[in-house]
């Protein structure tokens, strides 16, 4: 037999015999002929299981390892790794099913990216009647999302020598051992490849992993430890805890000591009605910020239209009374140009972090400033935004969404609280974020040349985030931070026809597909 490119490692412990037979058959029926299947009997002690494994062992491509006593999934998987001979190892469960072309597709992807150490595919669920459901179209590699949830799931394939170098699966992480391994592999800096095809079918039945994934208390505790170890290794200054959603974790982040944020707010001092009362929006925005205390130092850079007979700047006195010595006012003259105004504010800012903020927002999350600052301080993050909600609680913004040449807001006007496979519960990479609330390091703003001033009203934040990604940085939406946004209460919401035309002329190649929300991207305009 030629040396296999991939070994499939599967622990076996008291499965439904028919499910185990179906799994083995799905490997035997692969379009790829050269593979290696390692089945580890973890002390099942069942005659029918032994018979199925003995039958499988007659195929020279199958290795059966028998453990005398049950040691758990970590011990069994490590025994399987020791018996594996492939360049890569793929991890599969005893009662699930591989798509017929699964291994061939994964091997093709690995050969196309020879330095990759971790690959994962899309997946769905299958019941005992052969009905498929819950197709999960996963995002491309999303390190921020991976910290909050093991979204990679199956089919997971890793370079064997990298797994061995890390010591295999870690003892004490049963139930979250794959999440722990994926986090540790991701830290090595090799490419992580998403294979956007459904190649794995989770078996849906009472008690299956597909039905209770992450729901066992010991698995949840192991997941918290895995993520906490990861953030500690990367010095991310975060405390990890479980959420009410099994398998989802919360990172309570802390910015580096000595940080200063310049909150840049362009305004004309406009007023309007919200929550049944009249308000000057910029005054109430600053008041809501001042209602909380923060670890970071901060200042306000208010870019205010110059006083004319059309603009009353008496609101600046109210701001001075609220913000005190933190307030700095920069005068702006000229027709409305959002990009020009925030660039002017950035030039006058003193902070190492810049937070561009619309004047018609109100803080909901008390630690919003610290959380955004901590994420923005990661060296490979170029911008971070948050969830913005309308007055009625529906979503205005949950990251940008691009597709079919269009740019819009993900989940716009949706009352959804969890999103597609939990993406509204997670800090995650998105293709862009709105400049209604956008935090970044000052050096990134300088590097990309600030906002493009030939996009004065609409799509300037789309353009800005694409420039940031072209420079090699990640853009993150922090679902752990929420603000109210009384959108466009201080300016017109009308989009002029030449604005999207200009955007497409610059970025058409990036607007056709959204790598972080492929399922939502394909539904734009439907």
């Amino acid at each position: 037999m030629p040396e296999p490119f991939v070994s499939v490692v599967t622990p076996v412990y008291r499965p439904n015999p028919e499910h185990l037979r179906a799994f083995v058959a799905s490997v035997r029926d692969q379009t790829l002929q050269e593979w290696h299947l390692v089945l580890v009997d973890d002390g099942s002690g069942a005659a029918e299981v032994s018979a199925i494994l003995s039958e499988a062992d007659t195929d020279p491509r199958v290795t059966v390892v028998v453990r005398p006593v049950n040691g758990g999934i970590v011990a069994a998987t490590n025994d399987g790794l020791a018996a594996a001979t492939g360049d890569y190892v793929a991890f599969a469960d005893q009662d699930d099913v591989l798509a017929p072309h699964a291994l061939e597709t994964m091997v093709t992807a690995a050969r196309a990216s020879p330095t990759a150490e971790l690959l994962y595919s899309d997946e769905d669920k299958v019941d005992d009647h052969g009905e498929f459901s819950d197709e999960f179209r996963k995002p491309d590699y999303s390190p921020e999302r991976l910290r909050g949830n093991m979204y990679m799931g199956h089919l997971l394939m890793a370079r064997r020598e990298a797994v061995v170098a890390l010591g295999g699966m870690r003892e004490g992480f049963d139930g979250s051992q794959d999440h722990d391994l994926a986090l540790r592999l991701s830290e090595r800096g090799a490419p992580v490849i998403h294979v956007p095809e459904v190649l794995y079918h989770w078996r849906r039945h009472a008690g299956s992993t597909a039905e209770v994934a992450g729901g066992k208390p010991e698995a949840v505790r192991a997941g918290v430890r895995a993520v906490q170890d990861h953030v500690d290794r990367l010095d991310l200054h975060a405390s990890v805890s479980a959420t009410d959603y099994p398998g989802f974790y919360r990172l309570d982040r802390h910015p580096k000591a000595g940080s200063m944020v310049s909150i840049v707010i362009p305004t004309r001092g406009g007023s309007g009605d919200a929550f049944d009362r009249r308000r000057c929006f910029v005054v109430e925005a600053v008041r809501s910020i001042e209602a909380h205390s923060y670890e970071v130092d901060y200042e306000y850079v208010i870019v205010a239209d110059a006083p004319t007979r059309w603009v009353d700047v008496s609101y600046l006195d109210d701001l001075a009374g609220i913000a005190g010595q933190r307030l700095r006012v920069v005068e702006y003259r000229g027709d409305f140009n959002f990009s020009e105004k925030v660039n002017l504010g950035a030039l006058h800012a003193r902070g190492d972090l810049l937070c561009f903020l619309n004047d018609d927002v109100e803080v909901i999350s008390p630690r919003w400033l610290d959380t955004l600052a901590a994420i923005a301080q990661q060296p490979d993050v170029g911008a971070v935004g948050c969830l913005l909600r309308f007055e009625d609680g529906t979503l205005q913004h949950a990251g940008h969404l691009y597709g079919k040449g269009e740019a819009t807001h993900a989940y716009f006007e949706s009352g959804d609280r969890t999103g597609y496979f939990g993406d509204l519960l997670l800090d995650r990479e998105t293709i862009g974020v709105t400049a209604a609330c956008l935090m970044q390091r000052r050096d990134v703003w300088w590097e990309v040349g600030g906002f493009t001033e030939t996009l004065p009203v609409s799509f300037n934040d789309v353009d800005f985030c694409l420039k940031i990604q072209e420079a090699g940085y990640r853009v993150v939406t922090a679902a752990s931070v929420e603000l109210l946004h009384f959108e466009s209460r201080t300016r017109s919401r009308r989009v002029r026809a030449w604005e999207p035309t200009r955007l497409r002329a610059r970025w058409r190649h990036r607007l056709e597909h959204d790598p972080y929300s492929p399922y939502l991207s394909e539904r734009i305009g439907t």
Side-chain angles (χ1 to χ4, degrees):
M1 291 291 295
E3 198 69 17
F5 193 80
V6 58
S7 294
V8 180
V9 174
T10 301
V12 177
Y13 182 67
R14 298 183 180 177
N16 178 316
E18 293 307 312
H19 294 165
L20 180 59
R21 286 192 180 94
F23 167 71
V24 173
S26 76
V27 178
R28 279 182 170 158
D29 292 341
Q30 289 294 299
T31 55
L32 180 74
Q33 294 300 304
E34 296 173 4
W35 44 260
H36 180 211
L37 173 61
V38 183
L39 298 165
V40 183
D41 183 357
D42 192 21
S44 294
E48 190 168 6
V49 171
S50 296
I52 295 170
L53 296 180
S54 295
E55 179 186 351
D57 202 22
T58 60
D59 189 321
R61 298 170 296 180
V62 177
T63 298
V64 174
V65 177
V66 179
R67 291 176 51 84
V69 295
N70 176 249
I73 193 167
V74 168
T77 302
N78 282 338
D79 282 358
L81 286 169
T85 58
D87 299 295
Y88 280 79
V89 287
F91 302 97
D93 293 341
Q94 63 187 7
D95 50 2
D96 297 335
V97 179
L98 302 185
H101 60 298
L103 297 182
E104 182 177 11
T105 303
M106 296 296 283
V107 165
T108 299
R111 285 180 170 146
S113 301
T115 59
E117 293 186 348
L118 184 63
L119 301 92
Y120 63 98
S121 75
D122 294 345
E123 64 190 51
D124 63 13
K125 294 185 176 68
V126 63
D127 63 21
D128 287 342
H129 303 289
E131 297 292 329
F132 299 101
S133 62
D134 293 348
E135 181 179 276
F136 184 13
R137 302 283 301 282
K138 300 173 187 176
D140 282 357
Y141 176 46
S142 180
E144 218 64 59
R145 181 171 184 152
L146 185 61
R147 290 169 191 138
N149 172 252
M150 179 45 176
Y151 77 89
M152 292 180 179
H154 290 299
L155 181 63
L156 195 72
M157 190 170 88
R159 184 174 289 278
R160 183 168 62 92
E161 65 180 19
V163 178
V164 171
L166 290 172
M169 301 292 186
R170 289 203 293 171
E171 292 291 341
F173 288 85
D174 293 69
S176 291
Q177 74 286 339
D178 53 350
H179 194 182
D180 177 62
L181 178 65
L183 289 168
R184 288 185 290 138
L185 283 168
S186 72
E187 296 165 20
R188 289 168 57 91
V192 178
I193 304 300
H194 169 220
V195 181
E197 291 189 51
V198 175
L199 302 179
Y200 193 93
H201 311 298
W202 276 28
R203 177 77 62 177
R204 168 171 268 166
H205 63 86
S208 70
T209 304
E211 290 295 293
V212 297
K216 298 178 180 178
E218 62 273 18
V220 172
R221 289 191 291 269
V224 170
R225 291 197 306 275
V227 179
Q228 186 67 65
D229 283 2
H230 167 74
V231 300
D232 289 346
R233 287 191 298 268
L234 297 185
D235 197 26
L236 294 183
H237 305 282
S239 300
V240 181
S241 59
T243 71
D244 294 334
Y245 298 87
F248 288 75
Y249 308 101
R250 178 184 300 109
L251 274 67
D252 184 19
R253 303 171 190 262
H254 303 277
K256 296 176 182 177
S259 306
M260 182 176 180
V261 180
S262 294
I263 304 174
V264 178
I265 307 178
T267 188
R268 296 185 64 199
S271 298
D273 295 324
F275 293 119
D276 298 322
R277 68 181 179 88
R278 195 72 175 172
R279 60 168 66 193
C280 175
F281 286 107
V282 68
V283 170
E284 295 307 315
V286 172
R287 195 189 308 278
S288 74
I289 295 169
E290 288 298 309
H292 308 286
S293 58
Y294 309 103
E295 297 175 45
V296 291
D297 192 10
Y298 61 98
E299 66 171 357
Y300 298 98
V301 181
I302 305 296
V303 185
D305 284 24
T308 68
R309 65 191 179 119
W310 305 112
V311 179
D312 179 4
V313 293
S314 60
Y315 67 89
L316 295 175
D317 293 334
D318 293 332
L319 287 178
I322 299 169
Q325 296 300 310
R326 297 186 187 278
L327 180 66
R328 300 173 63 218
V329 179
V330 177
E331 188 176 280
Y332 175 78
R333 295 181 178 273
D335 295 332
F336 180 82
N337 184 321
F338 177 86
S339 298
E340 191 174 81
K341 290 182 82 171
V342 294
N343 283 344
L344 179 63
L347 288 170
H348 284 80
R350 295 178 294 191
D352 54 304
L353 293 163
L354 303 174
C355 179
F356 300 108
L357 196 68
N358 275 17
D359 62 355
D360 53 353
V361 299
E362 181 177 307
V363 170
I364 299 176
S365 302
R367 297 196 67 254
W368 74 286
L369 199 62
D370 292 330
T371 300
L372 296 182
I375 297 174
Q377 286 174 330
Q378 296 179 56
D380 62 341
V381 171
V384 55
C386 63
L387 302 187
L388 298 177
R389 295 192 179 274
F390 287 118
E391 190 174 343
D392 64 1
T394 57
L395 280 164
Q396 184 267 327
H397 178 78
H400 284 157
L401 179 66
Y402 304 164
K404 302 176 183 177
E406 303 293 330
T408 185
H409 299 284
Y411 297 101
F412 185 72
E413 296 184 334
S414 168
D416 197 341
R417 289 281 171 174
T418 58
Y420 180 68
F421 284 87
D423 58 5
L424 292 179
L425 303 172
L426 297 162
D427 299 345
R428 71 196 194 286
E429 279 67 23
T430 51
I431 199 71
V433 294
T434 177
C437 180
L438 185 155
M439 178 91 75
Q440 67 177 167
R441 298 190 310 280
R442 175 202 285 274
D443 63 280
V444 177
W445 178 84
W446 276 109
E447 181 179 346
V448 302
F451 285 78
T452 300
E453 296 180 4
T454 54
L455 289 168
V457 180
S458 300
F459 302 114
N460 37 54
D461 48 10
V462 174
D463 175 84
F464 188 56
C465 288
L466 287 170
K467 290 199 296 182
I468 288 168
Q469 289 178 90
E470 287 285 299
Y473 296 102
R474 294 187 287 129
V475 175
V476 175
T477 293
S480 52
V481 173
E482 295 189 12
L483 274 65
L484 288 177
H485 187 199
F486 310 105
E487 186 184 29
S488 299
R489 297 293 182 87
T490 55
R491 68 173 178 87
S492 171
R493 292 178 64 176
R494 182 176 63 89
V495 175
R496 291 162 291 188
W498 61 266
E499 294 173 307
T501 300
R502 182 168 294 175
L503 179 74
R504 292 188 195 104
R506 289 168 63 83
W507 297 107
R508 183 177 295 277
H509 65 294
R510 296 294 300 272
L511 295 174
E512 292 303 321
H513 171 72
D514 193 319
Y516 298 114
S517 300
Y519 172 76
L520 298 176
S521 173
E522 292 171 7
R523 299 178 66 189
I524 287 179
T526 62

